[in-house]
Amino acid sequence: MNPASDWHALTPEQALAALGTDAQRGLTGHEAQQRLRQHGPNALPETPPPPLWKVFAHQFISPLVAILFVAAVLAVALGHLGDAGVILAVVVVNAIIGSFQEGRAERSMAALRQLAALQVRVLRDGAEHTVPARELVPGDLLLLAAGDAVAADARLLQAAQLQVAEAALTGESVPVAESVQALPTATGLADRHCMVHAGTHVTAGRASALVVATGTHTEVGGIARLTAGAAEPRTPLER
């Protein structure tokens, strides 16, 4: 169960065999519990957001801001109160904008984490069940219909007039028509039309799909890891 496998290059039958899933019955409840213990919940890592005052204060920890404060003090000492006021206003406005941008990024991550709170339909023990999205495991047979949010990365097994809005992941401005045909290994993410990914939404049609990656192993999970570990670079002016 390698999350890095090129699932789009496998036929539905090959993907089912790779994950040991029965195409007619799905996983058993016991298998699903075992895989949940093995892979963990289908959720992105969550850390408590910093308080607003700390985010705002962090905006002032910068060599450039220190230089501007020194300039403001010199302006006051020289009697240029208007210049000092302008400099301080620039610093405060910059801090407000920076705080807003950090808050927007945190809200985007929170929206992605809310996928784990969804209820999804799966085929287990030969019957349709509704389970929390955080309990999805690789090998589950996911049932999708128009209006559903996709809660994990999955290889399509059957699709009828299926269209998926992938803007959150690939930037496509219109829904994309999907199919079950296997694709070349080198196919780019945006062109893998036999796959559906966490963070996208079904806009039309219906489908069944084999879950191949959950949580941090999904494409959107990889983005979340990069975002969490990204360090803010210094501006050219600071350098």
Side-chain angles (χ1 to χ4, degrees):
M1 298 181 188
N2 181 3
S5 296
D6 296 316
W7 296 103
H8 59 281
L10 302 181
T11 65
E13 294 76 18
Q14 290 172 328
L16 286 163
L19 289 173
T21 300
D22 187 314
Q24 303 302 319
R25 298 185 57 82
L27 299 177
T28 65
H30 178 66
E31 287 174 327
Q33 288 300 316
Q34 283 186 322
R35 297 188 186 196
L36 184 61
R37 287 192 292 270
Q38 178 184 355
H39 296 278
N42 177 35
L44 299 181
E46 185 171 359
T47 55
L52 183 59
W53 68 266
K54 185 174 290 187
V55 173
F56 184 74
H58 180 72
Q59 308 304 315
F60 295 95
I61 304 176
S62 164
L64 178 59
V65 171
I67 292 172
L68 290 174
F69 272 128
V70 171
V73 171
L74 291 175
V76 171
L78 295 173
H80 301 302
L81 299 182
D83 292 342
V86 170
I87 293 172
L88 292 176
V90 168
V91 171
V92 172
V93 169
N94 177 74
I96 293 173
I97 294 174
S99 299
F100 174 77
Q101 289 176 333
E102 287 194 27
R104 184 170 58 182
E106 179 58 35
R107 288 191 295 274
S108 297
M109 291 302 301
L112 291 175
R113 296 188 191 103
Q114 286 177 359
L115 286 173
L118 296 173
Q119 298 288 313
V120 297
R121 294 180 299 122
V122 296
L123 187 67
R124 289 182 182 173
D125 293 309
E128 182 179 321
H129 296 271
T130 300
V131 301
R134 66 182 293 110
E135 294 182 9
L136 280 177
V137 296
D140 258 328
L141 291 184
L142 184 62
L143 305 177
L144 298 169
D148 288 346
V150 181
D153 289 2
R155 171 60 166 94
L156 289 172
L157 303 178
Q158 297 178 338
Q161 305 297 318
L162 183 68
Q163 293 188 3
V164 179
E166 300 180 338
L169 186 64
T170 65
E172 292 282 352
S173 59
V174 296
V176 176
E178 308 283 1
S179 69
V180 300
Q181 301 300 319
L183 297 167
T185 302
T187 303
L189 177 63
D191 296 320
R192 296 176 186 175
H193 299 316
C194 59
M195 300 286 297
V196 290
H197 296 94
T200 62
H201 291 78
V202 178
T203 59
R206 54 187 175 80
S208 64
L210 176 69
V211 174
V212 298
T214 58
T216 57
H217 296 303
T218 62
E219 294 291 343
V220 75
I223 294 173
R225 291 197 307 273
L226 292 174
T227 302
E232 186 175 352
R234 292 187 302 166
T235 67
L237 183 57
E238 287 175 333
R239 290 195 295 268

